[in-house]
Amino acid sequence: MSSRVDPLNSLQLSDGTTVEEHDIVTTGDVLIGRDSEIELGIRGRTVAAGEDVSIGGSIEADDDCRLDTFCHVDGSVLVGADAYVGERVRINGRLLVSGDLDVGDDVEIDEGFEANGWIVIRNPIPVYLFYFIVLSHLLRLGDQDAAEEFASALAGEEVEEVDPVTIPAGSVISDDRWLVDTPATIGDDCRIHGNINAESIDVGERNTIFGGLTASGGDVSVGAETEVIGTVRTTGSVTLHPNATVRGNVEAGDLTVYEGAYVTGSLQASGEMQYITPKRSAPASDSGDSRDTADSGEPDGSHDAPDSGEPVQREGDAGAGDDRAETETTDDDGEAVDDDGEAEAVDDDGEAEAVDDDGEAEAVDDDGEAEAVDDGGEAETVDDDGATETIDDEGEIVANRAKAETENDRDPEVAESSDSDGSPTPTG
């Protein structure tokens, strides 16, 4: 069994490869396997075609160009460096070479050729074999510096490294189809015309493909932000990455669709179908503050008491049926005071209490009358006539004490007071 590995074992389109004006355009090299039929022109850095390759357009090579035996070019060949043309090659246009030209036997050039360097008519040897002979000769002569310079020139150290476009043997490529029997890989930022038929298809990101994708039993992957204007079909698995767009139907064995992918047609899967959503991290929250508030049983902001003189609305007043909201103010010590500056408080039963000038606690009963508790523990109220009524534990009035009044026509030194049974007694 041969140990050789075929470097053209798959269709590979490097990043930025496009199809423009019936030409395949790339910034890297183009390698075409034997017995391939390319109905488009080729534009690249170095173009190399194997035996019996048919190219339906012109070839523009910025560097070297090599056409093996029995190749056919339906156009002109423009070479920026050296050209190597094998025997029985046919060129329907002109051959223009900026460097040296090696031409084999029985070569047909319809519109003639021109070369600025040496022209050798012979059956040229393979270019890599020629490089190996030159390098071996320099090493045998002991010229180490010249050998290193020659090797550096071959390696292209000053040339930008770009993956080549490789077209496997037996491929058929035209405006409307790319037909290969090997896996196909398309890089990023490509623009391709035609339906792609391969063993498996892997499409990169930000591509536009004016055609469908069909895999013969392999998997199909459509990268992020790639648009496929056609049907995606395979008996294997299909994966649509985020923001991928398929303007057609998707038919697969197993189907995986990421969030953001868009399909205008139908989705059909004979096997498993799954929709994948990327994991999102939970937003950071002040969990410590929320736990403290929940433990204390108080709403947020309950500890932020305003400074003296700021109104505070009391909870529960709105439910008492009053049409207007009642407010409290606080003094410098943080205690609630009313409009007259007297201290107010709320007892355990929820009734409003206040402390009068004598230090006794006052309250308001259900009828809206002021209540107070005297030193004896009995409840006192003020009736409509301004007299103070004392109420015992049984709820009966036990005494009425009239307020002291000063009349203009009476002696100002005489005052009335109430004894224990409520009769006025002169103080004489």
Side-chain angles (χ1 to χ4, degrees):
M1 184 178 66
S2 175
S3 61
R4 296 179 57 188
V5 178
D6 187 3
L8 302 178
N9 57 0
S10 65
L11 172 65
Q12 295 184 357
L13 302 182
S14 59
D15 297 344
T17 300
T18 60
V19 176
E20 301 175 3
E21 297 296 335
H22 307 289
D23 291 336
I24 299 175
V25 181
T26 182
T27 57
D29 300 336
V30 180
L31 306 178
I32 305 173
R34 61 182 180 85
D35 300 324
S36 295
E37 182 179 351
I38 313 297
E39 298 182 8
L40 303 173
I42 305 293
R43 282 190 278 170
R45 185 169 62 187
T46 296
V47 178
E51 294 181 1
D52 199 16
V53 172
S54 176
I55 298 176
S58 298
I59 296 177
E60 297 181 17
D62 296 335
D63 204 346
D64 295 341
C65 178
R66 174 179 174 83
L67 301 176
D68 213 333
T69 58
F70 299 102
C71 286
H72 179 211
V73 179
D74 190 13
S76 298
V77 178
L78 306 178
V79 184
D82 300 334
Y84 307 89
V85 181
E87 61 182 4
R88 300 182 184 274
V89 172
R90 181 177 179 181
I91 300 175
N92 292 345
R94 299 186 63 187
L95 174 62
L96 301 178
V97 182
S98 298
D100 299 336
L101 173 61
D102 282 353
V103 181
D105 295 334
D106 199 14
V107 174
E108 297 182 11
I109 303 175
D110 291 350
E111 299 182 8
F113 64 92
E114 181 179 342
N116 294 331
W118 291 94
I119 300 177
V120 179
I121 301 177
R122 62 181 178 185
N123 187 15
I125 63 174
V127 61
Y128 294 107
L129 179 58
F130 171 75
Y131 290 155
F132 177 76
I133 293 174
V134 173
L135 184 59
S136 300
H137 181 69
L138 292 176
L139 292 176
R140 281 196 301 268
L141 294 177
D143 195 347
Q144 186 72 22
D145 295 337
E148 292 179 357
E149 182 179 355
F150 183 74
S152 299
L154 292 180
E157 294 180 351
E158 297 180 358
V159 179
E160 182 183 0
E161 291 294 333
V162 179
D163 293 335
V165 172
T166 61
I167 300 174
S171 301
V172 178
I173 298 176
S174 63
D175 277 336
D176 58 356
R177 62 173 177 170
W178 295 61
L179 178 60
V180 298
D181 55 3
T182 63
T185 302
I186 301 175
D188 302 332
D189 304 307
C190 297
R191 183 182 178 90
I192 308 300
H193 293 266
N195 299 312
I196 299 177
N197 297 265
E199 181 181 336
S200 62
I201 304 174
D202 184 7
V203 183
E205 300 179 353
R206 300 177 301 277
N207 297 302
T208 302
I209 300 176
F210 295 93
L213 305 177
T214 302
S216 57
D219 300 336
V220 176
S221 175
V222 181
E225 301 181 19
T226 289
E227 182 178 9
V228 178
I229 305 175
T231 300
V232 178
R233 181 184 296 110
T234 182
T235 56
S237 65
V238 172
T239 303
L240 304 180
H241 290 275
N243 299 324
T245 301
V246 177
R247 300 192 181 279
N249 300 331
V250 177
E251 303 174 7
D254 297 331
L255 178 60
T256 302
V257 179
Y258 283 83
E259 182 181 13
Y262 178 70
V263 179
T264 60
S266 62
L267 298 175
Q268 302 179 18
S270 59
E272 180 182 7
M273 180 183 297
Q274 57 180 340
Y275 181 82
I276 299 179
T277 302
K279 296 181 179 180
R280 296 180 176 88
S281 59
S285 60
D286 298 335
S287 57
D289 296 341
S290 60
R291 285 196 301 267
D292 295 340
T293 303
D295 294 341
S296 62
E298 298 179 358
D300 293 341
S302 60
H303 297 288
D304 298 335
D307 295 336
S308 176
E310 295 183 0
V312 177
Q313 183 172 356
R314 297 178 297 183
E315 296 183 358
D317 292 343
D322 196 358
D323 293 336
R324 68 180 188 275
E326 298 181 3
T327 60
E328 294 181 347
T329 57
T330 58
D331 60 6
D332 296 336
D333 296 331
E335 299 180 354
V337 298
D338 60 5
D339 297 338
D340 297 332
E342 296 181 352
E344 295 183 353
V346 179
D347 62 3
D348 297 337
D349 297 331
E351 297 181 351
E353 294 183 349
V355 180
D356 61 4
D357 297 337
D358 298 332
E360 296 180 351
E362 296 180 348
V364 179
D365 61 2
D366 298 336
D367 298 330
E369 296 180 351
E371 293 182 350
V373 180
D374 61 2
D375 297 337
E378 297 178 343
E380 296 182 350
T381 62
V382 180
D383 60 7
D384 298 335
D385 298 332
T388 303
E389 298 178 348
T390 303
I391 303 174
D392 60 4
D393 297 336
E394 302 295 331
E396 299 180 355
I397 300 175
V398 296
N400 291 329
R401 292 180 302 194
K403 291 183 178 180
E405 299 179 354
T406 304
E407 299 180 356
N408 294 332
D409 57 347
R410 295 180 59 181
D411 188 0
E413 297 180 357
V414 178
E416 293 182 356
S417 63
S418 298
D419 56 8
S420 59
D421 56 1
S423 300
T425 302
T427 59

